[in-house]
Amino acid sequence: QVQLVESGGGLVQPGGSLRLSCVASGSLFSIGAMRWYRQAPGKERELVSAITSVGTTNYADSVKGRFTISRDNAKNTVYLQMNSLKPEDTAVYYCNAVIRIRSSDVPTTYWGKGTLVTVSS
């Protein structure tokens, strides 16, 4: 059974940095696009950043220049380096990945359970 497990969240002061990780565990054939979403209290979940299997990236306007997404295909892991954090970045951050468990499978989207990032002084 494939699972996505996020880590790296926590409490950080404004202007600080955090690095989130998300590992896809279990037996699988391939991972396509991997994404980070976030959901702040009382708000809808929003896409923060995405990276394709070949490394093409995109970012929400609100995080451009501050966040960097990367992946290690050998480790089935995606990262989100977050710098110059602001209080408005406070949210639960979720990992999302398009995975084939077997080569004959239709790609399926999996979600992690999230990791909380709190930016506060």
Side-chain angles (χ1 to χ4, degrees):
Q1 183 177 0
V2 172
Q3 289 186 319
L4 297 180
V5 180
E6 302 99 334
S7 61
L11 174 63
V12 63
Q13 292 187 342
S17 298
L18 282 175
R19 188 193 195 206
L20 305 184
S21 299
C22 172
V23 179
S25 63
S27 177
L28 58 88
F29 174 72
S30 68
I31 304 177
M34 303 184 82
R35 306 176 183 93
W36 286 98
Y37 285 77
R38 67 185 180 187
Q39 187 166 19
K43 294 188 177 182
E44 293 186 355
R45 191 172 296 188
E46 64 173 352
L47 177 64
V48 175
S49 185
I51 185 167
T52 68
S53 59
V54 296
T56 303
T57 61
N58 62 62
Y59 299 91
D61 288 343
S62 59
V63 306
K64 279 181 182 176
R66 300 188 298 122
F67 290 10
T68 302
I69 191 170
S70 61
R71 64 191 285 170
D72 185 334
N73 291 332
K75 296 181 179 179
N76 292 338
T77 301
V78 63
Y79 305 96
L80 187 68
Q81 177 67 44
M82 305 186 295
N83 299 329
S84 302
L85 282 161
K86 305 175 181 179
E88 51 263 43
D89 294 318
T90 295
V92 178
Y93 284 71
Y94 298 90
C95 173
N96 160 302
V98 179
I99 295 173
R100 286 186 180 184
I101 295 178
R102 293 173 294 272
S103 60
S104 57
D105 287 346
V106 174
T108 301
T109 298
Y110 290 79
W111 287 88
K113 294 184 178 180
T115 184
L116 177 62
V117 172
T118 303
V119 184
S120 175
S121 55

